Amino acid sequence: MAVKEITLENFNVTEFIEEKAKEIASLVGSGVAINALSGGVDSCAVTMLGHKALGDRLKTYFIDNGIMREGEPGKIKALFNSLGVHIEIIDAQDDFFNALKGLTDPEEKREAITQAFYKDVFGKLVRKSGAKHLLQGTILTDVDETVAGIKRQHNVFEQLGIDPQKAFGYKIVEPLIQLRKDGVRKLAAGLGLPESAYNRIPFPGPALATRVIGEVTKEKVSVVRKATVIVEEELSSTGAFQYMAVLHQDRVTGMRDGKRDFGLQIEVRCWDSIDARKATPTKLSYDVLCKLADRIVAEVPGVVSVTYNITKKPPSTIEVI
Ligand code: XMP
Protein backbone atom coordinates (compact mmCIF):
# COMPACT_ATOMS: atom_id res chain seq x y z
CA MET A 1 0.00 0.00 0.00
CA ALA A 2 1.41 3.41 -1.00
CA VAL A 3 2.21 5.72 1.90
CA LYS A 4 0.44 9.12 1.80
CA GLU A 5 2.96 11.88 2.40
CA ILE A 6 2.22 14.68 4.89
CA THR A 7 4.03 17.76 3.61
CA LEU A 8 5.27 20.49 5.93
CA GLU A 9 2.54 22.91 4.77
CA ASN A 10 -0.20 20.40 5.68
CA PHE A 11 1.33 19.25 8.96
CA ASN A 12 -0.64 19.99 12.12
CA VAL A 13 1.72 18.83 14.88
CA THR A 14 -0.77 18.90 17.78
CA GLU A 15 -3.36 16.85 15.90
CA PHE A 16 -0.68 14.44 14.66
CA ILE A 17 0.62 13.80 18.18
CA GLU A 18 -2.88 13.11 19.55
CA GLU A 19 -3.81 10.88 16.63
CA LYS A 20 -0.60 8.83 16.64
CA ALA A 21 -0.54 8.42 20.41
CA LYS A 22 -4.08 6.99 20.23
CA GLU A 23 -3.12 4.72 17.34
CA ILE A 24 -0.05 3.37 19.17
CA ALA A 25 -2.03 2.81 22.38
CA SER A 26 -4.73 0.89 20.55
CA LEU A 27 -2.25 -1.24 18.54
CA VAL A 28 -0.22 -2.22 21.61
CA GLY A 29 -3.31 -2.73 23.81
CA SER A 30 -2.44 -3.73 27.38
CA GLY A 31 0.97 -5.18 26.46
CA VAL A 32 4.44 -3.69 26.37
CA ALA A 33 6.39 -2.43 23.37
CA ILE A 34 10.06 -1.80 22.83
CA ASN A 35 11.95 0.80 20.85
CA ALA A 36 15.58 1.48 20.11
CA LEU A 37 16.86 4.98 20.51
CA SER A 38 19.86 5.85 18.34
CA GLY A 39 19.99 9.55 19.18
CA GLY A 40 18.96 10.62 15.68
CA VAL A 41 15.99 12.96 15.42
CA ASP A 42 13.64 10.22 14.10
CA SER A 43 14.22 7.78 16.95
CA CYS A 44 14.16 10.62 19.52
CA ALA A 45 10.72 11.68 18.23
CA VAL A 46 9.39 8.11 18.26
CA THR A 47 10.64 7.60 21.81
CA MET A 48 8.78 10.71 23.03
CA LEU A 49 5.63 9.79 21.07
CA GLY A 50 5.75 6.20 22.37
CA HIS A 51 6.14 7.39 25.94
CA LYS A 52 3.19 9.73 25.53
CA ALA A 53 1.11 6.79 24.29
CA LEU A 54 2.34 4.01 26.58
CA GLY A 55 4.24 5.53 29.51
CA ASP A 56 6.33 2.90 31.29
CA ARG A 57 4.95 0.17 29.05
CA LEU A 58 7.42 1.37 26.40
CA LYS A 59 10.88 -0.06 27.09
CA THR A 60 13.50 2.07 25.38
CA TYR A 61 16.93 0.67 24.64
CA PHE A 62 20.06 2.30 23.32
CA ILE A 63 21.94 -0.34 21.35
CA ASP A 64 25.65 0.21 21.80
CA ASN A 65 26.65 -1.44 18.53
CA GLY A 66 30.24 -0.17 18.56
CA ILE A 67 29.68 1.91 15.42
CA MET A 68 28.18 5.04 17.01
CA ARG A 69 29.81 8.44 17.34
CA GLU A 70 32.11 9.35 20.23
CA GLY A 71 30.40 9.35 23.65
CA GLU A 72 26.88 8.82 22.17
CA PRO A 73 25.43 6.25 24.62
CA GLY A 74 26.17 8.43 27.67
CA LYS A 75 25.03 11.68 26.02
CA ILE A 76 21.71 10.28 24.84
CA LYS A 77 20.98 8.54 28.14
CA ALA A 78 21.60 11.80 30.02
CA LEU A 79 19.34 13.78 27.64
CA PHE A 80 16.41 11.37 28.02
CA ASN A 81 16.89 11.03 31.76
CA SER A 82 16.52 14.81 31.97
CA LEU A 83 13.19 14.42 30.12
CA GLY A 84 12.03 11.72 32.55
CA VAL A 85 12.47 8.81 30.11
CA HIS A 86 14.39 5.77 31.32
CA ILE A 87 16.89 4.30 28.83
CA GLU A 88 18.70 0.99 29.12
CA ILE A 89 22.02 0.69 27.27
CA ILE A 90 22.59 -2.72 25.65
CA ASP A 91 26.16 -3.73 24.83
CA ALA A 92 25.87 -5.42 21.42
CA GLN A 93 29.27 -4.57 19.96
CA ASP A 94 30.24 -8.19 19.30
CA ASP A 95 26.98 -8.95 17.49
CA PHE A 96 27.66 -6.14 15.01
CA PHE A 97 31.39 -6.61 14.42
CA ASN A 98 30.92 -10.37 14.00
CA ALA A 99 28.11 -9.75 11.50
CA LEU A 100 30.28 -7.30 9.52
CA LYS A 101 33.39 -9.47 9.47
CA GLY A 102 34.75 -10.05 5.97
CA LEU A 103 32.00 -8.08 4.18
CA THR A 104 32.97 -5.44 1.64
CA ASP A 105 29.88 -5.08 -0.55
CA PRO A 106 27.78 -2.06 0.60
CA GLU A 107 24.40 -3.78 0.39
CA GLU A 108 25.73 -6.91 2.13
CA LYS A 109 27.05 -4.70 4.92
CA ARG A 110 23.66 -3.00 5.24
CA GLU A 111 21.86 -6.35 5.26
CA ALA A 112 24.22 -7.70 7.96
CA ILE A 113 23.46 -4.67 10.14
CA THR A 114 19.72 -5.08 9.57
CA GLN A 115 19.88 -8.73 10.64
CA ALA A 116 22.07 -7.93 13.66
CA PHE A 117 19.56 -5.31 14.82
CA TYR A 118 16.26 -7.00 14.07
CA LYS A 119 16.97 -10.71 14.40
CA ASP A 120 19.70 -10.90 17.01
CA VAL A 121 19.47 -7.85 19.26
CA PHE A 122 15.79 -6.82 19.08
CA GLY A 123 14.76 -10.50 18.89
CA LYS A 124 16.46 -11.11 22.27
CA LEU A 125 14.95 -7.94 23.77
CA VAL A 126 11.46 -8.87 22.58
CA ARG A 127 11.77 -12.31 24.19
CA LYS A 128 13.14 -10.80 27.41
CA SER A 129 10.47 -8.10 27.72
CA GLY A 130 7.48 -10.05 26.40
CA ALA A 131 6.82 -7.24 23.88
CA LYS A 132 4.90 -7.96 20.70
CA HIS A 133 5.61 -4.59 19.06
CA LEU A 134 8.71 -2.62 18.10
CA LEU A 135 8.22 1.11 17.56
CA GLN A 136 10.58 2.70 15.08
CA GLY A 137 11.12 5.98 13.28
CA THR A 138 11.11 4.98 9.60
CA ILE A 139 10.44 8.06 7.44
CA LEU A 140 9.28 8.37 3.86
CA THR A 141 12.74 9.04 2.41
CA ASP A 142 13.96 5.70 3.85
CA VAL A 143 11.11 3.92 2.06
CA ASP A 144 11.56 5.77 -1.26
CA GLU A 145 15.24 4.93 -1.63
CA THR A 146 14.83 1.32 -0.58
CA VAL A 147 11.90 0.70 -2.92
CA ALA A 148 13.77 2.42 -5.76
CA GLY A 149 16.65 -0.03 -5.16
CA ILE A 150 19.15 2.75 -4.43
CA LYS A 151 20.02 1.71 -0.88
CA ARG A 152 18.58 -0.88 1.44
CA GLN A 153 17.81 1.39 4.39
CA HIS A 154 18.23 -0.62 7.55
CA ASN A 155 14.66 -0.17 8.78
CA VAL A 156 12.41 -0.89 5.77
CA PHE A 157 10.57 -4.25 5.49
CA GLU A 158 6.90 -4.19 4.56
CA GLN A 159 7.52 -2.27 1.32
CA LEU A 160 9.98 -5.00 0.31
CA GLY A 161 7.38 -7.70 0.97
CA ILE A 162 9.01 -8.76 4.25
CA ASP A 163 6.61 -9.50 7.11
CA PRO A 164 8.49 -8.66 10.35
CA GLN A 165 6.17 -10.91 12.35
CA LYS A 166 7.24 -13.91 10.24
CA ALA A 167 10.88 -12.88 9.82
CA PHE A 168 11.60 -11.73 13.40
CA GLY A 169 8.60 -12.65 15.58
CA TYR A 170 7.19 -9.18 16.33
CA LYS A 171 5.18 -6.41 14.68
CA ILE A 172 6.74 -3.08 13.70
CA VAL A 173 4.87 0.18 14.32
CA GLU A 174 6.02 3.17 12.23
CA PRO A 175 4.24 6.35 13.30
CA LEU A 176 6.50 8.71 11.28
CA ILE A 177 6.24 6.96 7.93
CA GLN A 178 4.26 9.80 6.26
CA LEU A 179 6.85 12.43 7.19
CA ARG A 180 10.17 13.61 5.84
CA LYS A 181 13.04 15.05 7.85
CA ASP A 182 11.65 18.61 7.98
CA GLY A 183 8.33 17.29 9.34
CA VAL A 184 10.06 15.11 11.94
CA ARG A 185 12.01 18.11 13.25
CA LYS A 186 8.77 20.05 13.70
CA LEU A 187 7.21 17.05 15.45
CA ALA A 188 10.23 16.57 17.74
CA ALA A 189 10.02 20.23 18.81
CA GLY A 190 6.27 19.79 19.44
CA LEU A 191 7.02 16.76 21.63
CA GLY A 192 9.19 18.87 23.92
CA LEU A 193 12.63 17.76 22.77
CA PRO A 194 15.32 20.43 23.13
CA GLU A 195 16.73 22.15 20.04
CA SER A 196 20.01 20.24 20.51
CA ALA A 197 18.00 17.08 19.68
CA TYR A 198 15.52 18.25 17.03
CA ASN A 199 18.03 20.35 15.10
CA ARG A 200 20.70 17.70 15.24
CA ILE A 201 22.10 16.66 11.88
CA PRO A 202 20.66 13.36 10.61
CA PHE A 203 22.62 10.23 11.46
CA PRO A 204 21.90 6.90 9.78
CA GLY A 205 20.84 3.74 11.64
CA PRO A 206 23.82 1.76 10.28
CA ALA A 207 25.92 4.53 11.83
CA LEU A 208 29.65 4.86 11.10
CA ALA A 209 29.54 1.60 9.10
CA THR A 210 28.04 3.70 6.28
CA ARG A 211 31.22 5.78 6.36
CA VAL A 212 33.84 3.05 6.08
CA ILE A 213 34.46 1.88 2.52
CA GLY A 214 35.36 -1.83 2.45
CA GLU A 215 35.38 -4.13 5.49
CA VAL A 216 34.21 -2.51 8.74
CA THR A 217 36.57 -3.30 11.62
CA LYS A 218 36.91 -1.84 15.12
CA GLU A 219 40.17 -0.17 14.07
CA LYS A 220 38.63 1.51 11.00
CA VAL A 221 35.59 2.66 12.97
CA SER A 222 37.94 4.17 15.52
CA VAL A 223 39.67 6.19 12.76
CA VAL A 224 36.44 7.48 11.24
CA ARG A 225 35.03 8.23 14.71
CA LYS A 226 38.02 10.47 15.53
CA ALA A 227 37.69 12.27 12.19
CA THR A 228 33.94 12.66 12.76
CA VAL A 229 34.53 14.51 16.03
CA ILE A 230 36.70 17.05 14.19
CA VAL A 231 34.32 17.44 11.24
CA GLU A 232 31.34 17.97 13.58
CA GLU A 233 33.25 20.48 15.72
CA GLU A 234 34.46 22.48 12.74
CA LEU A 235 31.22 22.44 10.72
CA SER A 236 28.48 22.72 13.35
CA SER A 237 28.33 26.50 12.92
CA THR A 238 27.69 26.22 9.15
CA GLY A 239 24.01 25.34 9.60
CA ALA A 240 24.46 22.69 6.88
CA PHE A 241 21.94 19.81 6.67
CA GLN A 242 24.52 17.07 7.34
CA TYR A 243 28.30 16.66 7.47
CA MET A 244 30.54 13.67 7.89
CA ALA A 245 33.93 12.04 7.57
CA VAL A 246 34.43 8.96 5.40
CA LEU A 247 37.34 6.50 5.55
CA HIS A 248 38.49 5.28 2.15
CA GLN A 249 39.78 1.81 1.49
CA ASP A 250 42.69 2.82 -0.77
CA ARG A 251 45.85 4.13 0.76
CA VAL A 252 48.05 6.83 -0.72
CA THR A 253 51.72 7.64 -0.35
CA GLY A 254 52.40 10.39 2.13
CA MET A 255 55.37 11.47 4.22
CA ARG A 256 55.78 12.04 7.91
CA ASP A 257 58.95 13.01 9.80
CA GLY A 258 60.93 12.70 6.57
CA LYS A 259 59.85 9.09 6.04
CA ARG A 260 57.45 7.48 3.55
CA ASP A 261 54.01 6.86 5.04
CA PHE A 262 51.58 4.83 2.90
CA GLY A 263 48.62 6.23 4.77
CA LEU A 264 44.87 6.58 5.05
CA GLN A 265 42.51 8.91 3.18
CA ILE A 266 39.60 10.73 4.77
CA GLU A 267 36.91 12.32 2.64
CA VAL A 268 34.84 15.13 4.14
CA ARG A 269 31.25 15.64 2.98
CA CYS A 270 29.03 18.57 3.92
CA TRP A 271 25.51 18.88 2.47
CA ASP A 272 22.86 21.54 1.99
CA SER A 273 19.43 19.93 1.71
CA ILE A 274 15.82 20.27 2.87
CA ASP A 275 14.72 16.66 3.11
CA ALA A 276 17.68 14.51 1.92
CA ARG A 277 16.07 13.74 -1.43
CA LYS A 278 18.39 16.13 -3.23
CA ALA A 279 21.52 17.67 -1.77
CA THR A 280 24.26 20.10 -2.77
CA PRO A 281 27.76 20.28 -1.28
CA THR A 282 28.05 23.32 0.98
CA LYS A 283 30.37 26.02 -0.39
CA LEU A 284 32.76 25.92 2.55
CA SER A 285 35.45 28.58 2.67
CA TYR A 286 38.98 27.54 1.78
CA ASP A 287 40.09 28.49 5.29
CA VAL A 288 37.56 26.09 6.82
CA LEU A 289 38.69 23.31 4.47
CA CYS A 290 42.36 23.90 5.31
CA LYS A 291 41.63 23.85 9.04
CA LEU A 292 39.79 20.55 8.64
CA ALA A 293 42.71 19.02 6.75
CA ASP A 294 45.29 20.32 9.23
CA ARG A 295 43.38 19.01 12.23
CA ILE A 296 42.54 15.61 10.71
CA VAL A 297 46.13 14.78 9.67
CA ALA A 298 47.45 16.02 13.02
CA GLU A 299 44.86 14.38 15.27
CA VAL A 300 43.84 11.15 13.52
CA PRO A 301 46.72 8.66 13.46
CA GLY A 302 47.63 7.28 10.04
CA VAL A 303 45.79 9.83 7.87
CA VAL A 304 47.89 11.49 5.15
CA SER A 305 45.18 12.76 2.80
CA VAL A 306 41.95 14.75 3.25
CA THR A 307 39.58 15.50 0.37
CA TYR A 308 36.27 17.36 0.08
CA ASN A 309 33.35 16.00 -1.99
CA ILE A 310 31.96 18.50 -4.52
CA THR A 311 29.37 16.28 -6.22
CA LYS A 312 25.60 16.87 -5.88
CA LYS A 313 22.98 14.25 -4.97
CA PRO A 314 22.02 12.92 -7.51
CA PRO A 315 24.11 11.28 -8.88
CA SER A 316 25.96 11.07 -5.56
CA THR A 317 24.16 10.02 -2.38
CA ILE A 318 24.61 11.55 1.07
CA GLU A 319 26.35 8.55 2.68
CA VAL A 320 29.06 6.70 0.74
CA ILE A 321 27.61 3.22 1.10
P1 XMP B 1 21.53 8.77 1.24
O1 XMP B 1 22.90 8.30 1.59
O2 XMP B 1 20.66 7.66 0.79
O3 XMP B 1 20.90 9.28 2.61
O4 XMP B 1 21.51 9.94 0.29
C1 XMP B 1 19.68 9.99 2.74
C2 XMP B 1 19.49 10.28 4.22
O5 XMP B 1 19.18 9.06 4.90
C3 XMP B 1 20.19 8.76 5.87
N1 XMP B 1 20.42 7.30 5.76
C4 XMP B 1 19.83 6.40 6.56
N2 XMP B 1 19.03 6.57 7.62
N3 XMP B 1 18.94 4.21 7.88
C5 XMP B 1 18.60 5.46 8.29
O6 XMP B 1 17.92 5.58 9.31
C6 XMP B 1 19.74 3.96 6.82
O7 XMP B 1 20.02 2.81 6.48
C7 XMP B 1 20.22 5.13 6.13
N4 XMP B 1 21.02 5.29 5.06
C8 XMP B 1 21.14 6.64 4.85
C9 XMP B 1 21.40 9.59 5.48
O8 XMP B 1 22.24 9.86 6.60
C10 XMP B 1 20.75 10.83 4.90
O9 XMP B 1 20.35 11.74 5.90
Side-chain angles (χ1 to χ4, degrees), residues 110 145 151 153-155 202 204-206 242 276 313 317-319:
R110 284 177 166 270
E145 292 202 353
K151 282 185 193 187
Q153 304 264 328
H154 78 292
N155 49 2
Q242 200 168 353
K313 172 184 178 176
T317 59
I318 289 180
E319 309 288 349

Side-chain angles (χ1 to χ4, degrees), residues 85-155:
V85 177
H86 176 75
I87 308 290
E88 192 180 329
I89 297 179
I90 305 291
D91 181 355
Q93 301 197 27
D94 290 345
D95 292 275
F96 284 83
F97 283 111
N98 288 339
L100 286 163
K101 209 173 166 58
L103 301 182
T104 53
D105 176 79
E107 290 294 284
E108 284 180 15
K109 283 155 64 175
R110 284 177 166 270
E111 182 58 21
I113 289 170
T114 297
Q115 294 298 328
F117 266 125
Y118 289 87
K119 210 167 175 182
D120 305 339
V121 179
F122 298 160
K124 261 184 240 157
L125 293 173
V126 160
R127 287 192 292 279
K128 188 176 108 179
S129 65
K132 293 192 172 54
H133 294 85
L134 169 82
L135 261 60
Q136 72 170 19
T138 326
I139 65 170
L140 201 46
T141 319
D142 301 340
V143 174
D144 286 349
E145 292 202 353
T146 301
V147 172
I150 295 164
K151 282 185 193 187
R152 166 77 160 89
Q153 304 264 328
H154 78 292
N155 49 2

Side-chain angles (χ1 to χ4, degrees), residues 29-50:
S30 57
V32 293
I34 65 165
N35 81 316
L37 176 62
S38 70
V41 59
D42 309 341
S43 73
C44 286
V46 162
T47 300
M48 294 306 281
L49 199 54

Side-chain angles (χ1 to χ4, degrees), residues 37-41 43-44 62 68-69 72 76 80 197 200:
L37 176 62
S38 70
V41 59
S43 73
C44 286
F62 182 99
M68 302 302 287
R69 283 171 291 182
E72 274 298 281
I76 300 303
F80 276 84
R200 226 176 167 201

Side-chain angles (χ1 to χ4, degrees), residues 20 35 45 56 58 116 132 137 167 176-177 211 235 244 272 280:
K20 291 294 164 187
N35 81 316
D56 287 346
L58 180 71
K132 293 192 172 54
L176 313 187
I177 197 129
R211 298 173 184 177
L235 300 185
M244 63 199 64
D272 292 334
T280 313

